[in-house]
Amino acid sequence: MRHAFLLICILGSIFAASTALAGVKVGDAPQVESQTAHATPFDLKEQRGKVVLVEFWATWCGPCRKALPVYSKLVDAYDGKFVVAAVSIDGDRADMLRFMDALLPQARTQQGFNILWEKKHPLASQFGPPSIPTGYLIDPKGVVREVYTGFDKGSEAQLKKDIERLLSQPKSSAQKK
């Protein structure tokens, strides 16, 4: 219990500091170069032409447990046109992987569903998510078009609507909202 409290305090400090110093907003074109939890490189630039959701989550987050299976289903539904970069802010990689194996066993091999984990959380520092979960929807040109905090019963419908809108835009106007 003491360790969990300490972890929450540390993560809260990281987020408070990162929000004050940095933060990705709608209209920004962030760089995301990382590795998946299985040591495969992930580069947002390689996802150009697709809609990408960069989602910050944790194993202790109730809404995240509801959101991740929805995102996995949407990755399959959009057949390569929608990609998820699920960035875990958990402190222990092995615990996070056990959690994911129990929640979404297909995530290890699902094309387009990428589980990212970094020891010192540089992506969380760069993006500065205000809460967990927070998702950044990025258009096919690499520009953030929506930022979602939380996950509730209307979240899936809104995400689908936004994905459809971004996929239906002509390539020349994908940066306009």
Side-chain angles (χ1 to χ4, degrees):
M1 183 68 135
R2 183 175 162 196
H3 293 300
F5 178 74
L6 181 60
L7 178 62
I8 290 169
C9 290
I10 290 169
L11 291 174
S13 297
I14 290 170
F15 289 126
S18 65
T19 301
L21 297 175
V24 171
K25 304 174 290 309
V26 170
D28 290 348
Q31 291 185 9
V32 176
E33 292 180 48
S34 187
Q35 284 194 353
T36 69
H38 306 292
T40 304
F42 180 87
D43 189 341
L44 186 59
K45 288 179 187 171
E46 293 177 8
Q47 306 305 317
R48 292 286 157 78
K50 303 172 185 174
V51 174
V52 180
L53 179 68
V54 177
E55 177 80 358
F56 290 89
W57 69 280
T59 57
W60 45 262
C61 165
C64 300
R65 294 171 189 231
K66 294 176 183 172
L68 293 170
V70 168
Y71 301 153
S72 174
K73 182 178 75 171
L74 291 174
V75 164
D76 287 342
Y78 286 100
D79 196 28
K81 295 176 186 168
F82 174 63
V83 172
V84 171
V87 183
S88 170
I89 62 156
D90 287 292
D92 186 280
R93 179 181 170 275
D95 286 346
M96 182 273 301
L97 286 173
R98 279 191 290 279
F99 171 85
M100 284 303 294
D101 285 344
L103 182 69
L104 283 173
Q106 73 273 21
R108 278 191 188 255
T109 58
Q110 185 180 17
Q111 199 73 341
F113 192 92
N114 304 277
I115 305 164
L116 284 77
W117 181 88
E118 302 169 314
K119 187 172 180 103
K120 295 187 179 182
H121 309 295
L123 287 176
S125 294
Q126 173 191 349
F127 276 73
S131 64
I132 299 299
T134 294
Y136 298 81
L137 191 64
I138 299 172
D139 73 14
K141 299 243 181 195
V143 178
V144 175
R145 292 295 164 206
E146 302 291 338
V147 177
Y148 311 105
T149 55
F151 188 87
D152 59 30
K153 64 181 180 177
S155 297
E156 180 178 1
Q158 184 62 53
L159 180 58
K160 283 182 183 179
K161 179 181 169 186
D162 293 337
I163 292 169
E164 294 286 334
R165 176 177 46 84
L166 294 176
L167 288 174
S168 69
Q169 292 179 346
K171 293 192 186 294
S172 62
S173 66
Q175 290 203 22
K176 297 175 186 170
K177 185 166 178 180

